[in-house]
Amino acid sequence: MAPSGTGRSSSSSGQRRTIHPSIGANRRRTNEISDPAMDRLLKSARTSGSLNLSNRALREVPDEVYQCLDAVGDGEKWWEAVELQKLILAHNNIEALREDLRKLSSLVVLNISHNKLACIPAAIGELGLLKSLDVSFNLIVSLPEEIGSATSLVKLDCSSNQLKELPCSLGRCVELSEIKASNNCIPVLPEELGNCLKLSKLDVEGNKLTLLSENMLRAWTMLTELNSARNSLTCIPDSIGVLSQLIRLDFHQNKISSVPSSIKGCLALTEFYMGANLLSSLPADISALSRLGTLDLHSNQLKEYPVEACKLHLSVLDLSNNSLSGLPPEIGTMTTLRKLLLTGNPLRTLRSSLVSGPTPALLKYLQSRLASTEEEVSGSGTSPMKDEVITMATRLSLSSKELSLSGLGLTDVPPAVWDTGEVVKVDLSKNSIADLPNEFSQCSSLQVLILSGNKIKEWPGTVLSSLPNLSCLKLDSNPLSQIPSNGFEALRKLEILDLSGNPSSLPDPPLFSALPQLQELYLRRMQLQEVPPGLLSLHQLRILDLSQNRLTSLPKEVKHLTSLTELDLTDNNISALPPELGLLEPSLQALRLDGNPLRSIRRPILDRGTKAILNYLKDKIPEP
């Protein structure tokens, strides 16, 4: 039963305040809104705590918004009214926010983008619960220093304004995870932003930045996206290498002349955009970026592409409009390349028809050149003997604990592998090894085992079960027969598994649930017709590669992979995506869809990248 007293109370946080009913009635008379639709929205807001007044041609914020609780109408249960927590005023003609904004002390989300604001009131700093503030696409010249008092702020979007600086006080907003300040006139970022240790996304594209602070980058170890395109930067700070979680890095259209070798520290990088700069060379260390899928180097001054960079597993490489006169034939080994752009180079060793033709034909030609070169080298007798190479690699492993015997034409595993003691990584890729001897079981400290590109047919279960610390296993490109149903049970610590190119290898059913710690799973070229259901229970999975298969659909249960940051579905037969995939935004940073007959998403949306696709899908989820 409703209380019989004269006061009324409401608060979303449990605190109660009392207002005499007659005061509310007087306010209704003086600030009455004649629009019935507006009345309904305000009434609904007092129940839900959320008010959306976007696209209503408003010139100012109605008084009733600032006094939402004081405008309770006849027949409403004022004792059930709640404070406003979410206010959306986007796409109007609002020219000012009043200091009355402080009355909305429970606001968590405020969106007043796409208006005509010239400034933000100091009262913004009194919104202690505010987590998301969007003031993009206005005419704002400066943000008030008081914004630093909104210390709960997690997301700030002030892009497409006329800002000449960001306030130093933002450094007090230590919960900030995302800052968008693109398309302004900012020449320098305040050093105090280095205090925002939780920052994961920074977008400052289209400003007047001339440098990025070494100290700030060193502090942002959680950064996954950095977009500083279309500025006046002349260099990339060496501290870029500490950003081990960085997935997308965009420096296109600056004045940068070199990439520091420290880039090798960005081990999670999947997209790197350096087009329209002043690069004349690339560091060999770029070859360490094993997850890099897109490398954009167009419109620079490159005279050569380093042989070391041919080790990258790229799907897109843009070298157009540079000064390349030739290409290393090793590019022909980059079998993951779907698009290699070379137009606008003074290439003399390649026919123009190859340069402008399909990428597979160009790669095949480069492979043939590489093969003939290798034959010449092997016939010259100048290549070192295998035994000498193994001896040297064994000596190095004593200090590094890593033994690399890749590409030596080995048919058996040499005893040096288990004689080296506490080795933690063994690379035997690109050989002709058919099986693992029992002596391999002596490598009890082994954490990483790379057997890619060999001739292994039988699942080496006996050896694997004796390697208790194994966290990474790569068996891709082997003629592997079907894995036993209990094949994964001894690998419960496994974090990385690559079975690509082994179409008959998966056990039936694929018991991926036996790998609870798996973070990366590569199943390229497996002739899969559906997503193996067992992998949808891998809640720690961050990278899933299902490219070059025969998938026709993606199950909606993919939404359960909440840790996923990369999903590669290129070159399948998928015509539609489940809307539930959109629920993985913002965790999913890289979604690759090229080579699918997608008909349900328009090309302009696909061209705008992962975030646009996920938001589009999220909007398609039916209302509950």
Side-chain angles (χ1 to χ4, degrees):
M1 180 178 295
S4 57
T6 58
R8 80 162 187 261
S9 63
S10 68
S11 175
S12 61
S13 60
Q15 297 179 344
R16 306 177 71 84
R17 67 177 187 173
T18 304
I19 301 175
H20 197 282
S22 62
I23 296 177
N26 288 336
R27 285 178 177 163
R28 285 197 303 276
R29 285 192 293 272
T30 57
N31 296 301
E32 187 173 351
I33 298 176
S34 58
D35 186 348
M38 183 78 80
D39 285 336
R40 286 194 299 272
L41 287 170
L42 291 168
K43 182 177 179 180
S44 175
R46 289 189 285 272
T47 301
S48 66
S50 177
L51 178 59
N52 188 343
L53 296 179
S54 58
N55 286 297
R56 298 189 65 84
L58 297 175
R59 292 181 174 272
E60 59 182 10
V61 181
D63 289 348
E64 286 82 357
V65 173
Y66 296 118
Q67 303 164 357
C68 191
L69 286 182
D70 299 340
V72 176
D74 296 332
E76 290 186 64
K77 297 178 180 179
W78 51 262
W79 58 89
E80 293 182 355
V82 298
E83 299 271 10
L84 202 58
Q85 298 172 4
K86 183 176 183 180
L87 177 57
I88 301 177
L89 297 162
H91 296 277
N92 283 292
N93 298 309
I94 299 171
E95 296 182 357
L97 283 175
R98 301 209 306 261
E99 294 291 343
D100 287 342
L101 189 65
R102 62 170 54 92
K103 296 179 181 179
L104 304 179
S105 58
S106 295
L107 267 189
V108 176
V109 175
L110 175 59
N111 183 345
I112 192 165
S113 62
H114 296 270
N115 277 281
K116 297 180 179 179
L117 296 178
C119 62
I120 301 295
I124 196 73
E126 299 182 41
L127 304 182
L129 300 179
L130 192 65
K131 291 186 177 181
S132 177
L133 175 62
D134 189 345
V135 295
S136 60
F137 293 91
N138 277 283
L139 305 171
I140 301 169
V141 176
S142 65
L143 296 175
E145 282 291 330
E146 288 82 358
I147 196 172
S149 298
T151 53
S152 296
L153 205 58
V154 175
K155 293 183 178 181
L156 171 63
D157 189 346
C158 55
S159 54
S160 298
N161 278 283
Q162 299 173 12
L163 296 175
K164 296 182 178 178
E165 63 180 1
L166 292 177
C168 298
S169 63
L170 277 178
R172 303 205 306 269
C173 300
V174 294
E175 297 298 317
L176 267 173
S177 171
E178 184 173 336
I179 298 177
K180 293 182 179 180
S182 58
N183 300 314
N184 281 286
C185 306
I186 301 169
V188 64
L189 298 176
E191 285 285 341
E192 288 79 0
L193 283 181
N195 297 326
C196 303
L197 303 181
K198 296 183 180 180
L199 198 65
S200 65
K201 298 179 183 179
L202 176 64
D203 185 352
V204 287
E205 178 179 358
N207 278 281
K208 297 183 178 181
L209 296 175
T210 55
L211 62 86
L212 288 176
S213 162
E214 292 271 3
N215 291 332
M216 272 194 298
L217 282 189
R218 196 171 286 115
W220 292 334
T221 56
M222 302 294 288
L223 211 61
T224 61
E225 289 186 26
L226 174 56
N227 183 357
S228 190
R230 297 192 301 112
N231 278 282
S232 298
L233 299 173
T234 57
C235 67
I236 300 175
D238 281 335
S239 55
I240 194 78
V242 307
L243 305 183
S244 60
Q245 298 189 44
L246 197 64
I247 293 175
R248 188 178 190 275
L249 180 58
D250 193 342
F251 280 123
H252 86 265
Q253 202 170 326
N254 277 278
K255 300 176 181 178
I256 299 169
S257 58
S258 65
V259 175
S261 61
S262 59
I263 193 71
K264 64 186 178 184
C266 302
L267 294 176
L269 201 61
T270 65
E271 299 178 26
F272 189 16
Y273 300 92
M274 286 295 301
N277 275 282
L278 303 174
L279 299 179
S280 58
S281 64
L282 289 177
D285 301 272
I286 200 170
S287 63
L289 304 180
S290 59
R291 297 180 189 171
L292 195 63
T294 298
L295 179 57
D296 183 358
L297 299 166
H298 82 274
S299 305
N300 277 281
Q301 300 171 10
L302 296 174
K303 295 181 180 179
E304 63 178 7
Y305 183 77
V307 173
E308 293 83 358
C310 296
K311 298 176 183 178
L312 294 172
H313 304 293
L314 299 177
S315 57
V316 176
L317 174 59
D318 190 347
L319 293 169
S320 58
N321 299 313
N322 275 279
S323 301
L324 299 171
S325 58
L327 289 177
E330 286 80 2
I331 285 184
T333 66
M334 301 176 72
T335 54
T336 56
L337 265 182
R338 292 180 294 97
K339 188 181 294 184
L340 174 58
L341 304 175
L342 294 168
T343 55
N345 282 284
L347 291 165
R348 302 183 185 91
T349 57
L350 294 174
R351 299 190 306 272
S352 59
S353 59
L354 277 172
V355 172
S356 59
T359 295
L362 176 58
L363 294 180
K364 187 175 181 179
Y365 171 77
L366 292 171
Q367 283 174 357
S368 67
R369 282 182 53 195
L370 179 62
S372 60
T373 302
E374 288 177 343
E375 288 175 5
E376 291 172 6
V377 171
S378 62
S380 67
T382 58
S383 59
M385 298 296 291
K386 291 180 188 177
D387 289 345
E388 293 179 9
V389 175
I390 293 173
T391 300
M392 184 179 297
T394 304
R395 191 180 301 123
L396 291 172
S397 72
L398 295 176
S399 57
S400 68
K401 306 299 182 185
E402 298 182 1
L403 179 61
S404 178
L405 301 175
S406 175
L408 296 181
L410 300 174
T411 56
D412 298 298
V413 180
V417 171
W418 52 84
D419 288 343
T420 50
E422 302 297 314
V423 65
V424 297
K425 178 180 178 180
V426 172
D427 184 353
L428 292 166
S429 62
K430 300 179 181 176
N431 283 293
S432 300
I433 298 168
D435 55 45
L436 300 184
N438 291 333
E439 289 85 351
F440 211 108
S441 301
Q442 299 175 30
C443 303
S444 57
S445 299
L446 196 63
Q447 298 174 17
V448 177
L449 177 56
I450 303 175
L451 297 166
S452 313
N454 277 282
K455 296 183 178 180
I456 297 172
K457 294 181 180 180
E458 299 297 325
W459 179 252
T462 303
V463 171
L464 296 177
S465 63
S466 63
L467 304 177
N469 297 305
L470 198 64
S471 61
C472 173
L473 175 62
K474 295 188 177 183
L475 268 164
D476 53 295
S477 302
N478 278 278
L480 199 62
S481 58
Q482 189 173 45
I483 300 170
S485 58
N486 61 349
F488 294 149
E489 289 183 1
L491 302 173
R492 300 190 69 83
K493 289 188 177 181
L494 207 62
E495 297 179 0
I496 301 173
L497 176 62
D498 192 343
L499 295 172
S500 301
N502 294 294
S504 303
S505 65
L506 290 184
D508 188 17
L511 299 177
F512 289 111
S513 56
L515 304 171
Q517 298 186 39
L518 201 63
Q519 297 183 24
E520 301 180 21
L521 179 58
Y522 301 89
L523 299 174
R524 299 183 301 275
R525 307 188 311 281
M526 297 285 285
Q527 298 181 18
L528 298 175
Q529 297 188 18
E530 61 180 18
V531 176
L535 67 80
L536 296 172
S537 64
L538 299 176
H539 298 303
Q540 295 193 45
L541 199 63
R542 295 187 297 106
I543 298 174
L544 176 58
D545 188 345
L546 295 169
S547 62
Q548 302 176 56
N549 280 290
R550 301 174 181 176
L551 303 178
T552 57
S553 64
L554 196 65
K556 65 180 180 181
E557 288 78 12
V558 70
K559 67 182 179 182
H560 298 311
L561 299 179
T562 53
S563 298
L564 210 60
T565 60
E566 300 176 38
L567 176 58
D568 193 340
L569 298 170
T570 54
D571 297 326
N572 277 282
N573 297 316
I574 299 171
S575 58
L577 295 171
E580 289 80 5
L581 182 61
L583 296 174
L584 297 184
E585 200 278 330
S587 62
L588 186 58
Q589 303 290 323
L591 174 62
R592 300 190 178 97
L593 297 168
D594 288 342
N596 283 282
L598 284 169
R599 302 182 184 91
S600 58
I601 304 178
R602 299 190 309 277
R603 174 51 57 181
I605 294 175
L606 292 172
D607 290 343
R608 279 161 48 202
T610 298
K611 184 172 295 186
I613 296 170
L614 294 179
N615 285 329
Y616 172 83
L617 291 171
K618 195 188 305 183
D619 290 341
K620 295 295 182 181
I621 296 176
E623 292 290 338

